[in-house]
């Protein structure tokens, strides 16, 4: 007669644990999206959307005039030949108030916030500043000022607000009335050295690494360039004011394309002054002698819109907010014109 055996107590526990583990894995697998599937909202997953600049361009269907900020004068929120503009993450507007030798900061209603500078040649003082740029790439924000009349670029951070000189000489050639500043995708600083007919790239340590341009009308030549902007791919767009052109360079400084040319038809330019990018990579150019702003589609160099208002006399600086507000400094009327972009949904 055979005796029936039973599993020992430890063996029973082991089988039970294996069963529970397999069941848990099966349940977990049912909750995890398969490869290539989007995360499931509400299941503990975070849905990450691409930024606007990674999406397909959203067509512009209209741009309307909204209001005017500021007026002529020397007081707070008053201007004398306002030129370059910049906008920070709180929609504060920074204005190179060239005729008053200062940088003013106002909010989007036109209310005064603060100012920097005053006429002079010492650090923190300016002589006809023409452009400004904000850098958010490092642990604290930096303000850069094209101190044109002093032939230099100054910068400060917003913690101590002490100004320093970025540079006054490149390749043993002194800067000569630099008018434009731009910030690259990794915090590089780009300067338009206007009267030397060139542009210069500085790395994040403030060391010059690229200098391009000489006087002329050739592919790699410039005539009194006034501004620049850098897109998310590292392409550089130069306002070649003397040649009435926009010139595009790749991230290494090699020329890619040129468009514009003197005239008043759409796509043509007459003494373009400044340039800006929106979150969809559309390019906005102040076409100063034509008293308008033109918008160029990304990658196609094609004008897709133009806008103005009867009181816009000399469009100069330009900046575009994330909400689609376009701010244009009017150097002759001594104020800031505000427009609103409408896009196809």
């Amino acid at each position: 007669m055979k005796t029936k055996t039973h599993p020992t107590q430890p063996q029973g526990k082991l089988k039970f644990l294996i069963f529970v583990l397999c069941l848990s894995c099966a349940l977990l697998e049912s909750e995890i999206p398969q490869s290539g599937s989007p995360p499931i909202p509400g299941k503990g997953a975070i849905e990450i959307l691409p930024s606007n600049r990674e999406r397909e361009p959203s067509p512009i269907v209209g741009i309307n005039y909204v209001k005017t900020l500021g007026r002529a004068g020397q007081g707070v929120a008053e201007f004398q030949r306002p030129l370059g503009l910049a906008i920070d993450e709180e929609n504060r507007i920074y204005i190179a108030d060239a005729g008053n030798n200062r940088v003013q900061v106002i909010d989007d209603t036109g209310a005064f916030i603060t100012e920097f500078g005053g006429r002079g040649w010492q650090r923190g003082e300016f002589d006809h500043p023409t452009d400004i740029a904000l850098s958010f790439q490092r642990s604290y924000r930096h303000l850069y000022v094209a101190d044109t009349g002093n032939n230099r670029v100054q910068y400060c951070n917003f913690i101590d607000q002490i100004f320093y000189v970025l540079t006054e000489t490149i390749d043993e050639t002194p800067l000569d009335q630099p008018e434009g500043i731009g910030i690259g995708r990794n915090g590089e600083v780009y300067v338009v050295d206007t009267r030397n007919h060139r542009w210069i790239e500085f790395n994040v340590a403030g060391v010059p690494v690229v200098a391009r341009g000489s006087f002329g009308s050739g592919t790699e030549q410039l005539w009194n360039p006034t501004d620049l902007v850098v897109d998310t791919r590292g392409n550089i767009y130069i306002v070649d004011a003397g040649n009435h052109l926009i010139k595009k360079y790749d991230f290494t400084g090699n020329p890619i394309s040129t468009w514009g040319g003197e005239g008043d038809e759409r796509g043509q330019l007459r003494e373009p002054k400044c340039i800006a990018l929106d979150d969809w990579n559309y390019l906005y150019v102040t076409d100063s002698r034509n008293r308008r702003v033109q918008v160029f589609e990304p990658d196609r160099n094609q004008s897709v819109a133009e806008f103005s208002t009867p009181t816009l006399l000399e469009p100069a600086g330009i900046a575009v907010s994330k909400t689609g507000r376009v701010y244009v400094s009017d150097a002759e009327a001594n104020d800031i014109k505000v427009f609103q972009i409408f896009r196809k949904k």
Side-chain angles (χ1 to χ4, degrees):
M1 181 177 176
K2 293 184 178 179
T3 303
K4 195 172 182 180
T5 61
H6 298 277
T8 63
Q9 188 176 8
Q11 289 174 327
K13 284 185 177 181
L14 179 61
K15 288 183 177 181
F16 177 76
L17 289 173
I18 292 172
F19 169 78
V20 170
L21 180 61
C22 292
L23 179 61
S24 299
C25 290
L27 290 172
L28 181 61
E29 184 176 358
S30 68
E31 297 288 331
I32 299 174
Q34 299 301 310
S35 176
S37 302
I40 303 172
K43 299 283 188 178
I46 299 175
E47 186 176 7
I48 300 175
L49 296 176
S51 68
N52 286 346
R53 290 189 177 181
E54 293 172 344
R55 302 176 188 171
E56 289 298 317
S58 179
I60 295 171
V61 296
I63 303 174
N64 291 346
Y65 168 75
V66 177
K67 60 183 175 181
T68 294
L69 305 177
R71 60 184 181 182
Q74 299 177 337
V76 297
E78 296 179 339
F79 311 107
Q80 292 290 339
R81 288 201 64 79
L83 298 175
L85 301 176
I87 301 176
D88 70 10
E89 69 279 6
E90 301 296 330
N91 283 328
R92 292 176 291 232
I93 307 153
Y94 296 69
I95 304 106
D97 188 6
N100 287 319
N101 301 296
R102 63 185 175 182
V103 173
Q104 281 204 75
V105 186
I106 61 175
D107 67 18
D108 57 5
T109 70
F112 174 81
I113 297 175
T114 190
E115 66 178 32
F116 301 89
R119 184 173 179 81
W121 54 269
Q122 298 186 48
R123 291 192 309 179
E125 297 177 334
F126 307 117
D127 182 1
H128 198 80
T130 57
D131 198 19
I132 50 184
L134 298 171
S135 174
F136 307 96
Q137 300 290 336
R138 290 174 253 181
S139 57
Y140 39 83
R141 190 168 64 229
H142 282 80
L143 168 70
Y144 292 86
V145 181
D147 188 8
T148 305
N150 285 320
N151 300 310
R152 64 186 179 181
V153 172
Q154 294 195 69
Y155 71 96
C156 75
N157 67 61
F158 284 80
I159 297 176
D160 57 29
Q161 298 186 10
I162 298 173
F163 276 89
Y164 302 90
V165 176
L166 175 66
T167 187
E168 293 179 285
T169 303
I170 300 295
D171 297 333
E172 300 183 353
T173 301
L175 295 184
D176 193 353
Q177 299 185 32
E179 290 191 19
I181 308 174
I183 305 299
R185 53 185 174 172
N186 298 312
E188 307 92 343
V189 179
Y190 294 78
V191 175
V192 170
D193 188 7
T194 301
R195 298 300 178 183
N196 284 322
H197 314 286
R198 63 180 178 173
W199 59 272
I200 304 158
E201 176 191 346
F202 298 83
N203 64 19
V204 293
V207 178
V209 293
V210 174
R212 291 283 188 275
S214 60
F215 175 73
S217 301
T219 302
E220 299 187 54
Q221 294 180 313
L222 301 166
W223 181 3
N224 289 342
T226 52
D227 198 19
L228 54 73
V229 70
V230 185
D231 69 17
T232 53
R233 300 174 185 173
N235 298 312
I236 305 109
Y237 302 84
I238 308 290
V239 179
D240 187 3
N243 288 313
H244 312 283
L245 297 170
I246 305 299
K247 291 186 174 178
K248 181 179 179 180
Y249 299 77
D250 67 17
F251 68 96
T252 66
N254 293 317
I256 298 176
S257 60
T258 297
W259 71 92
E262 187 173 13
D264 57 9
E265 298 294 326
R266 178 175 289 188
Q268 296 178 327
L269 303 163
R270 295 173 67 200
E271 293 185 13
K273 183 65 176 176
C274 290
I275 189 169
L277 278 167
D278 68 12
D279 266 5
W280 304 93
N281 270 336
Y282 282 88
L283 289 155
Y284 297 71
V285 180
T286 50
D287 189 2
S288 65
R289 284 190 58 198
N290 284 322
R291 295 187 173 185
R292 65 184 176 184
V293 176
Q294 290 203 66
V295 187
F296 293 88
E297 191 175 8
D299 299 324
R300 294 181 61 186
N301 305 339
Q302 179 179 351
S303 177
V304 295
E306 61 178 50
F307 60 94
S308 187
T309 188
T311 58
L312 183 60
L313 304 180
E314 187 184 343
I318 188 163
V320 186
S321 76
K322 292 185 179 298
T323 60
R325 284 285 171 99
V326 183
Y327 298 87
V328 181
S329 62
D330 190 334
E332 184 175 337
N334 300 303
D335 55 29
I336 311 297
K337 305 294 196 301
V338 185
F339 300 83
Q340 179 66 51
I341 306 167
F342 297 94
R343 298 185 182 278
K344 184 178 179 181
K345 294 182 179 181

